[in-house]
């Protein structure tokens, strides 16, 4: 039975195989699918990484499958991650690290973002860079730069940063000597500094800085042969030292790390440096024990970029530099007009006293002639307990000028208390300036001339009081004229200078008294013109003014003018330099106006008088006695007007106070008024001379004879003398 069933099982097996073969034939795509596709359920479909050329997901037998560029379809960072690049391949893609990066595993590529381990390649530490030996490799993300060493500069035509950068060694200033400054100590110093810089090592920049400062101190502590140089050469040596020190320290500071650096030498020379990033915008203060400087850091950096990206600000304070600059002069330039307006007098010269160390302020920015913003600084100096008149504390800088000679100047600087503000940089110091507005020779001439004038005026006053034969209405006028001039000259001599510098009540009172007495002198001179008018023009129609009216005019009118002037503007009396009328706002006209009016009126009276006298002398029977008397009076009055009036008129036309010779002439004429008056009113008067002879004989013990001077003369001469008796001529 088992054998009978075997044929049946074989038939079933054959039938099942035939059915499977038919089914496979039915599923196969006929004809075959295109390249990069596969048959799925009797349809052709593109493989992974490919896309049909047309629309839809399947293609017909005549279509094609194109490669999908996954690198373009998606963002690189999405596919590969950071620091990597996507590279497409047929039907796929792979990722590689960017140039300058590598996989931690060391493989060349990776499949996707999850396998990204790209990291920066440090070409500088691995030795894969191509920087020149004169540069330093500076690694950057994915690359590197070749920068010059600190203090080195790119060669001509080269830039600082690219891989082909080449640099040259730092250049220090050449310490050369002045041709005219022959000094053994300077020669030794120059050689020592050159050797220090020649053997300079980058790692010991701070040590080199200290040695250079100590070498300068050694030179300045005992500058025996430098002090023998003439002032011009000595000042130029100081300027040269400061200039070379700034340049050397600026160069050496490039090798120092960022931050502050301070050094104090055994000789108390102090250096303070501040090194910061160039793009820093802070307000920075650099300081040491003797000085501090506050500035905007953008000013320190300047417009040009530095080689190492850092900027420098420094202060060098040298106490020994004063020996070379102690007698340096000061150029006022812009401040002269301000000072002369302040002192209301020409400024002759300035005496200077150095109070602080010489402080050199230097920056990376070498163009410091006109800074974008002011620099503020303060230097320590001993306080002065007392301050003399016209003495100021000033902040001055050492200006080399066009000729290279050093002098102090304050242009571009101002001072608020002890704080200095300047719009430029140089070497600075705090000085005490004593401004001189008085010429010592003019001052001596004034004192000697006024003393002589006072003696002569006193003799005039005594003569007018004691000599009885000459006493008359004119004598009264002359007496009061001399009294006013005497009192005015005494006040001028002892009180004209304003010692305190401030216009005090004492100074105002002195100015008011001078105003009053000098006006009174001219009023009495005007009265003499009025007397002459009554004598000649009115032809004795009256006796002129009474004594009371004369005194009222001579002393009342000046008092009224001074009172009105003081009530209108009390500040017009007194100046910072002299106790006299202030020139501002036309206050001087309270003196000049009456003065000019009196001179004009007297001149007019004298012209009329001379004309009248000429007419009377031409008459047929003139009164010769009265005419001679009037002539003498006129000549005396005109001479007096010339002495007093023309002197002050000359002063009024002294528009240029800087003219030395005009000032000398005015001072001489003004100081010798008393001598001129004594000569004209006393010594040239015969009655006065006779009275002097009588007094002299009384003092000598001899009996005086009024005819003793004429006994040796002839009869003709005696009769001529009687014809011209002093009582008639007065001369």
């Amino acid at each position: 039975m088992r054998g009978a069933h075997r044929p049946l099982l074989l038939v079933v097996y054959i039938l099942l195989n035939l059915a499977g073969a038919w089914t496979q034939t039915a599923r196969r795509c006929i004809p075959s699918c295109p390249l990069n596709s596969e048959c799925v359920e009797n349809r052709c479909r593109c493989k992974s990484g490919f896309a049909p050329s047309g629309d839809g997901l399947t293609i017909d037998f005549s279509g094609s499958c194109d490669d999908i560029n996954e690198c373009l379809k998606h963002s690189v960072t999405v596919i590969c991650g950071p620091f990597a690049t996507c590279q497409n391949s047929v039907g796929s893609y792979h990722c590689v690290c960017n140039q300058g990066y590598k996989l931690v595993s060391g493989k060349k590529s990776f499949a996707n973002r999850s396998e990204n381990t790209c990291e920066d390649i440090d070409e500088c530490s691995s030795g894969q860079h191509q920087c020149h030996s004169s540069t330093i490799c500076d690694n950057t993300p994915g690359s590197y730069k070749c920068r010059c060493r600190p203090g080195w500069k790119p060669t001509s035509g080269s830039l600082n940063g690219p891989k082909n950068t080449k640099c040259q060694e730092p250049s220090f200033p050449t310490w050369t000597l002045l041709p005219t400054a022959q000094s053994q100590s300077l020669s030794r110093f120059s050689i020592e500094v050159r050797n220090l810089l020649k053997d300079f090592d980058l790692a010991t920049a701070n040590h080199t800085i200290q040695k250079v400062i100590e070498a300068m101190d050694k030179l300045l502590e005992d500058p025996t042969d430098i002090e023998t140089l003439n002032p011009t050469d000595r000042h130029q040596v100081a300027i040269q030292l400061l200039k070379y020190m700034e340049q050397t320290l600026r160069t050496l500071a490039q090798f120092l790390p960022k931050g502050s650096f301070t050094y104090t030498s055994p000789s108390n020379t102090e250096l303070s440096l501040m090194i910061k990033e160039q793009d820093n915008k802070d307000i920075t203060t650099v300081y040491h024990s003797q000085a501090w400087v506050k500035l905007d850091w953008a000013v320190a950096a300047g417009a040009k970029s530095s080689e190492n990206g850092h900027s420098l600000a420094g202060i060098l304070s040298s106490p020994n530099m004063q020996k070379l600059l102690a007698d340096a002069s000061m150029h006022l330039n812009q401040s002269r007009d301000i000072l002369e307006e302040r002192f209301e007098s020409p400024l002759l010269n300035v005496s200077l006293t150095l109070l602080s160390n010489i402080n050199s302020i230097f920056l990376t920015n070498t163009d410091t002639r006109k800074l974008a913003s002011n620099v503020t600084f303060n230097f320590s100096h001993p306080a002065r307990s007392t301050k003399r008149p016209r003495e100021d504390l000033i902040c001055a800088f050492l200006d080399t000028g066009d000729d290279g000679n050093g002098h102090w100047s304050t242009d571009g600087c101002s001072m608020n208390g002890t704080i200095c503000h300047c719009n430029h940089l140089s070497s600075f110091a705090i000085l005490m300036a004593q401004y001189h507005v008085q010429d010592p020779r003019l001052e001596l001439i004034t004192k000697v001339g006024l003393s002589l004038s006072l003696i002569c005026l006193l003799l005039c006053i005594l003569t007018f009081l004691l000599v009885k034969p000459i006493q008359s209405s004119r004598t009264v006028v002359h007496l009061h004229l001399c009294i006013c001039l005497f009192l005015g000259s005494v006040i001028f001599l002892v009180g004209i200078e304003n010692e305190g510098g401030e216009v005090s009540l004492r100074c105002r009172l002195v100015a008011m008294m001078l105003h009053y007495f000098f006006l009174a002198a001219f009023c009495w001179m005007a009265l003499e013109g009025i007397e002459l008018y009554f004598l000649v023009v009115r032809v004795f129609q009256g006796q002129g003014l009474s004594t009371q009216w004369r005194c009222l005019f001579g002393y009342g009118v000046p008092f009224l003018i001074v009172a009105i002037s003081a009530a209108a503007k009390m500040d017009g009396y007194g100046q910072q330099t002299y106790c006299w009328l202030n020139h501002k706002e036309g206050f001087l006209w309270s003196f000049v106006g009456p003065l000019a009016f009196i001179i004009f009126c007297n001149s007019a009276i004298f012209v009329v008088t001379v004309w009248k006298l000429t007419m009377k002398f031409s008459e047929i029977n003139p009164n010769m006695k009265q005419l001679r008397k009037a002539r003498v009076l006129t000549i005396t009055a005109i001479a007096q007007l010339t002495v007093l009036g023309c002197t002050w008129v000359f002063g009024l036309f002294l528009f240029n106070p800087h003219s030395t010779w005009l000032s000398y002439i005015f001072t001489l004429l003004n100081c010798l008024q008393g001598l001129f008056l004594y000569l004209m009113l006393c010594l040239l008067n015969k009655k006065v001379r006779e009275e002097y002879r009588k007094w002299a004989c009384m003092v000598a013990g001899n009996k005086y004879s009024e005819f003793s001077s004429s006994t040796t003369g002839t009869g003709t001469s005696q009769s001529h003398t009687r014809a011209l008796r002093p009582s008639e001529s007065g001369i």
Side-chain angles (χ1 to χ4, degrees):
M1 203 54 202
R2 184 180 301 176
H5 290 159
R6 287 183 176 174
L8 180 61
L9 292 174
L10 181 62
V11 171
V12 172
Y13 175 76
I14 293 171
L15 290 174
L16 289 174
N17 287 337
L18 290 174
W22 179 86
T23 302
Q24 290 178 356
T25 304
R27 292 180 179 177
R28 185 177 301 159
C29 297
I30 301 176
S32 61
C33 291
L35 185 65
N36 300 324
S37 64
E38 60 183 356
C39 182
V40 179
E41 296 180 356
N42 202 28
R43 291 179 179 273
C44 293
R45 184 172 295 178
C46 293
K47 295 179 180 179
S48 176
F50 296 90
S53 56
D55 297 333
L57 298 176
T58 61
I59 57 173
D60 56 15
F61 299 110
S62 61
S64 64
C65 290
D66 299 331
D67 177 52
I68 298 174
N69 191 343
E70 293 85 355
C71 297
L72 296 178
K73 187 175 181 180
H74 304 284
S75 172
V76 175
T77 56
V78 173
I79 296 176
C80 297
F83 312 122
T85 302
C86 176
Q87 292 185 353
N88 188 58
S89 61
V90 178
S92 183
Y93 71 93
H94 64 274
C95 299
V96 296
C97 294
N98 293 339
Q99 185 177 1
Y101 294 86
K102 66 178 181 178
L103 289 170
V104 175
S105 62
K107 294 181 180 180
K108 299 297 183 181
S109 63
F110 56 95
N112 51 49
R113 180 186 178 92
S114 63
E115 299 179 4
N116 186 343
T117 59
C118 293
E119 64 177 5
D120 176 53
I121 300 174
D122 190 346
E123 295 89 351
C124 298
S125 61
S126 63
Q128 300 178 29
H129 65 86
Q130 298 177 359
C131 292
H132 190 263
S133 59
S134 63
T135 63
I136 297 175
C137 179
D138 186 9
N139 187 62
T140 60
S143 184
Y144 64 92
K145 290 184 178 181
C146 300
R147 298 185 181 275
C148 292
R149 299 174 183 272
W152 293 47
K153 295 182 180 181
T155 58
S156 178
S158 177
L159 299 176
N160 191 8
K163 298 177 181 179
N164 60 349
T165 299
K166 293 184 179 181
C167 304
Q168 58 186 2
E169 293 181 351
S171 58
F172 292 99
T174 304
W175 290 71
T176 56
L177 300 177
L178 290 173
T180 57
Q182 302 298 325
S183 167
Q184 294 295 326
S185 57
L186 273 176
S187 300
R188 290 192 297 269
F189 169 74
S190 178
I191 294 172
E192 182 178 0
V193 173
R194 281 201 296 264
N195 292 333
L196 283 171
L197 299 179
K198 182 178 64 176
D199 301 331
F200 169 67
D201 185 3
L202 295 176
T204 59
N206 56 350
H207 178 72
T208 305
I209 290 175
Q210 297 174 13
K211 289 299 182 183
V212 170
I213 293 176
E214 290 172 6
M216 182 187 70
D217 287 341
K218 182 180 176 182
L219 170 69
L220 296 177
E221 282 179 346
D222 188 23
T224 306
D225 52 355
I226 299 179
E227 290 180 340
T228 60
L229 299 174
N230 63 68
T232 300
D233 288 343
R234 194 168 65 252
H235 298 161
Q236 288 182 344
V237 167
I239 293 172
Q240 190 182 47
L241 281 173
L242 292 170
K243 173 185 173 183
Y244 286 158
M245 285 298 295
E246 287 183 18
Q247 294 176 353
T248 302
L249 293 174
R250 186 183 291 113
T251 303
L252 291 172
Q254 298 178 15
F255 306 101
L256 296 176
K258 287 192 300 181
S260 61
F261 173 83
T262 304
Y263 172 67
T264 303
S265 73
S267 300
N268 206 30
T269 296
E270 291 195 56
L271 171 68
S272 181
L273 302 175
M274 178 61 72
I275 303 169
K276 299 172 67 174
E277 295 290 346
Q278 187 172 13
D279 56 357
N280 194 300
K281 304 299 181 182
D282 296 339
I283 302 298
T284 304
T285 301
V286 186
Y287 61 91
H288 52 64
S289 65
Q290 301 179 36
W292 59 260
V293 177
K294 182 184 291 185
L295 73 162
D296 184 349
W297 196 253
V299 171
K304 296 181 180 179
S305 60
S306 62
E307 288 79 8
N308 59 1
H310 297 164
S311 295
L312 162 75
I315 319 172
L316 176 66
S317 298
S318 173
N320 296 317
M321 192 65 69
Q322 295 182 5
K323 299 177 181 179
L324 303 185
L325 296 170
D327 56 349
S329 61
M330 182 174 180
H331 287 194
L332 297 172
N333 299 335
Q334 301 174 8
S335 59
R336 177 178 290 276
D337 294 338
I338 298 174
L339 290 169
E340 290 184 348
E341 182 179 358
R342 170 185 166 189
F343 297 130
E344 300 177 359
S345 181
L347 193 60
L348 301 180
N349 54 63
V350 185
S351 299
L352 301 175
T353 304
L354 273 168
L355 299 182
S356 70
N357 295 343
I358 309 298
N359 298 273
S360 293
I361 304 175
F362 53 95
L363 310 172
T364 299
N365 178 19
T366 57
D367 186 11
T368 58
R369 292 170 296 179
K370 183 69 175 179
L371 300 176
S373 61
N374 283 357
V375 175
T376 303
F377 43 85
N378 185 22
F379 307 133
S380 62
H381 61 276
R384 296 286 291 267
S385 57
T386 58
K387 184 178 178 181
R388 293 178 294 176
R390 295 179 295 279
E391 190 176 62
D392 282 341
L393 195 68
I394 63 172
C395 176
F397 69 96
L398 195 58
D399 188 3
T400 57
D402 297 333
D403 55 359
N405 296 328
H407 57 265
W408 296 107
S409 177
T410 59
D411 296 343
C413 293
S414 61
M415 195 166 185
N416 182 13
T418 59
I419 308 299
C420 298
H421 306 275
C422 290
N423 60 9
H424 57 82
L425 292 182
S426 177
S427 295
F428 297 87
I430 301 297
L431 299 94
M432 184 62 74
Q434 175 68 50
Y435 301 105
H436 300 285
V437 297
Q438 296 176 345
D439 187 342
R441 290 170 295 184
L442 270 178
E443 188 176 1
L444 178 62
I445 291 174
T446 301
K447 291 181 178 180
V448 173
L450 276 181
S451 300
L452 178 61
S453 182
L454 285 173
I455 294 173
C456 294
L457 287 172
L458 183 60
L459 291 175
C460 288
I461 294 171
L462 294 175
T463 300
F464 297 145
L465 289 173
L466 300 178
V467 178
K468 302 297 182 181
I470 65 170
Q471 290 184 354
S472 63
S473 60
R474 288 185 67 248
T475 307
V476 173
V477 173
H478 292 159
L479 173 64
H480 288 281
L481 171 65
C482 292
I483 290 174
C484 292
L485 286 177
F486 180 84
L487 294 176
S489 299
V490 170
I491 296 172
F492 185 93
L493 190 61
V494 299
I496 188 64
E497 295 184 8
N498 189 5
E499 296 293 342
E502 299 293 333
V503 183
S504 60
L505 179 61
R506 170 255 172 201
C507 186
R508 296 191 194 279
L509 291 176
V510 168
M512 292 174 67
M513 287 189 290
L514 288 175
H515 188 196
Y516 174 76
F517 283 115
F518 285 140
L519 276 180
F522 275 92
C523 286
W524 283 104
M525 189 177 70
L527 285 171
E528 184 167 16
I530 295 173
E531 289 286 333
L532 193 62
Y533 172 80
F534 279 108
L535 177 64
V536 178
V537 179
R538 297 286 298 273
V539 194
F540 306 104
Q541 294 182 9
Q543 296 300 321
L545 297 175
S546 64
T547 303
Q548 292 81 1
W549 282 106
R550 291 194 195 99
C551 291
L552 182 63
F553 179 83
Y555 293 113
V557 171
F559 180 82
L560 185 63
I561 294 174
V562 172
I564 294 174
S565 301
K569 187 175 177 59
M570 189 64 179
D571 293 342
Y573 288 103
Q575 305 174 7
Q576 282 200 349
T577 307
Y578 301 109
C579 296
W580 179 234
L581 277 65
N582 201 315
H583 297 80
K584 296 179 180 178
E585 301 180 10
F587 189 77
L588 188 62
W589 282 100
S590 61
F591 176 73
V592 173
L595 181 71
F597 179 76
I598 291 173
I599 292 175
F600 174 77
C601 292
N602 270 21
S603 300
I605 290 174
F606 295 154
V607 170
V608 174
T609 300
V610 171
W611 176 63
K612 285 288 187 180
L613 285 175
T614 304
M615 292 181 61
K616 289 186 178 296
F617 272 109
S618 63
E619 293 178 356
I620 298 176
N621 295 314
N623 187 343
M624 297 303 297
K625 179 180 178 180
Q626 294 296 338
L627 287 178
R628 289 192 183 97
K629 181 179 180 181
R631 182 180 64 182
V632 171
L633 294 177
T634 303
I635 293 173
T636 305
I638 292 175
Q640 180 179 301
L641 177 67
T642 302
V643 171
L644 296 180
C646 292
T647 300
W648 284 97
V649 169
F650 184 83
L652 295 179
F653 285 96
L654 189 63
F655 292 118
N656 183 14
H658 297 280
S659 178
T660 304
W661 66 275
L662 287 177
S663 299
Y664 275 90
I665 293 175
F666 174 72
T667 302
L668 283 171
L669 292 177
N670 215 28
C671 291
L672 297 178
Q673 287 179 353
L675 177 62
F676 294 150
L677 288 176
Y678 182 64
L679 180 65
M680 291 185 302
L681 302 179
C682 296
L683 294 183
L684 293 180
N685 191 311
K686 189 171 183 179
K687 288 184 179 181
V688 174
R689 294 197 302 270
E690 291 293 335
E691 197 70 17
Y692 284 169
R693 290 193 187 98
K694 182 191 296 185
W695 294 350
C697 291
M698 292 173 61
V699 172
N702 298 329
K703 188 175 180 180
Y704 173 76
S705 173
E706 61 178 319
F707 300 105
S708 60
S709 61
S710 58
T711 53
T712 58
T714 61
T716 304
S717 63
Q718 291 173 357
S719 61
H720 181 70
T721 302
R722 287 192 298 270
L724 295 175
R725 291 183 64 85
S727 60
E728 298 174 1
S729 64
I731 194 169

